Amino acid sequence: MATIAENLDAVHHTIESACTRAGRDPDKLTMVVVTKSADFDAVRQVLALGYDQLGENRVQQLKKVAAQVDELHSQNTQNSDKPAVHWHMIGHLQRNKVRQVLPLVRMIHSVDTLRLAEEINETAEKMDLCPRVLMQVNASQEPQKYGVPVGAAVHLAEQIETLPHLRLAGLMTMAPLTHNQDVIRTCFSRTRELFLEIKGERIVGSNFTELSMGMSSDYPIAIEEGATILRIGSAVFQA
Ligand SMILES: *Cc1c(COP(=O)(O)O)cnc(C)c1O
């Protein structure tokens, strides 16, 4: 059975190979460790190895694990000078949960409607915050999926950009669950084209730098297609 440290080593090895193929610098990639499938002992091991960017896709679970991490840090006085953990909300976010999640997270990856962006903007103003958000794009055109359709994405970016209490930091996408690598690659490359289009039309400011794409099954392809943030869960926590 592989340990978490071994899994992380294997992931890093794969990241480095993909970066070599793509001529990219692995140090410029952010890896968010997605803890939704992990028990807390496993999360603790990840933290002990120095990882500080964690992701959850549900608000309830994020609150729970974030509280456990806080408690761990406060118990362990030797760790009191350890940098805080930065949380990423990567899953679908309901407007009535925004107030709970905003104070906890560094970045929300899943903004896909103007109504949600407006709710984040209003809540952030009240809380005196200015969160970084990503616009989630449904680049694979699957009807059941969250994310703004590609054809509506530029307009939504323009609208989000007018909101003063959040910063649009880039795009996020999820590839379809398929073994067909061409389908996955097309989804990522389409998202990258959209990213460049939005940047090129100067709709957005210099904060627009991130492409969150790539999960355990497809992150090498995502790296080749320009991802800057990877969201990796099961490849870290599988036994
Ligand atoms: C669960 C999840 C991930 C990580 O998936 P793995 O296949 O476990 O790596 C990434 N992004 C989102 C939005 C998720 O919900």
Side-chain angles (χ1 to χ4, degrees):
M1 251 171 47
T3 65
I4 285 176
E6 286 165 352
N7 286 344
L8 282 163
D9 276 350
V11 169
H12 277 287
H13 188 75
T14 306
I15 288 175
E16 272 167 27
S17 319
C19 281
T20 304
R21 282 198 301 280
R24 300 190 57 198
D25 178 357
D27 292 342
K28 300 229 166 83
L29 290 178
T30 300
M31 177 166 136
V32 173
V33 178
V34 179
T35 52
K36 69 185 183 205
S37 64
D39 59 34
F40 190 67
D41 186 56
V43 176
R44 210 172 43 188
Q45 291 181 53
V46 167
L47 295 175
L49 289 163
Y51 293 83
D52 64 355
Q53 311 276 336
L54 302 183
E56 279 286 347
N57 69 335
R58 295 181 52 216
V59 173
Q60 240 15 68
Q61 183 71 8
L62 193 154
K63 281 173 68 179
K64 181 177 151 207
V65 187
Q68 287 174 308
V69 170
D70 279 350
E71 177 158 339
L72 178 74
H73 279 178
S74 63
Q75 275 170 3
N76 195 340
T77 47
Q78 285 165 320
N79 279 348
S80 59
D81 57 4
K82 273 226 171 137
V85 166
H86 301 296
W87 282 99
H88 295 251
M89 174 60 195
I90 60 174
H92 177 65
L93 179 57
Q94 289 171 297
R95 282 180 296 145
N96 63 6
K97 302 269 175 68
V98 166
R99 194 151 33 91
Q100 298 175 58
V101 84
L102 263 197
L104 300 175
V105 297
R106 156 168 282 201
M107 189 180 270
I108 297 171
H109 291 227
S110 46
V111 175
D112 60 355
T113 63
L114 182 59
R115 270 151 59 102
L116 175 59
E118 285 172 339
E119 181 75 33
I120 294 170
N121 182 61
E122 281 164 32
T123 309
E125 179 175 19
K126 287 184 201 134
M127 293 182 161
D128 200 16
L129 297 168
C130 191
R132 297 180 82 201
V133 306
L134 304 178
M135 192 171 76
Q136 182 174 353
V137 180
N138 180 359
S140 56
Q141 329 268 14
E142 294 165 281
Q144 76 281 13
K145 249 175 49 177
Y146 292 117
V148 60
V150 172
V154 172
H155 184 56
L156 181 58
E158 282 168 348
Q159 291 176 310
I160 294 175
E161 195 58 26
T162 65
L163 303 172
H165 301 287
L166 52 76
R167 279 172 296 165
L168 183 59
L171 303 182
M172 182 272 235
T173 202
M174 287 174 84
L177 282 176
T178 170
H179 292 295
N180 186 331
Q181 308 242 322
D182 293 337
V183 171
I184 295 169
R185 191 177 294 280
T186 301
C187 170
F188 291 152
S189 65
R190 189 175 284 148
T191 306
R192 176 153 175 272
E193 281 162 20
L194 193 57
F195 173 85
L196 293 174
E197 182 183 343
I198 291 170
K199 220 176 157 62
E201 291 187 9
R202 300 191 189 279
I203 296 162
V204 290
S206 57
N207 287 314
F208 194 81
T209 52
E210 306 300 333
L211 260 179
S212 169
M213 49 191 206
M215 316 187 356
S216 295
S217 55
D218 55 26
Y219 66 93
I221 305 175
I223 292 169
E224 290 169 13
E225 298 301 327
T228 65
I229 302 177
L230 313 172
R231 309 178 311 268
I232 301 184
S234 47
V236 174
F237 295 110
Q238 77 205 346

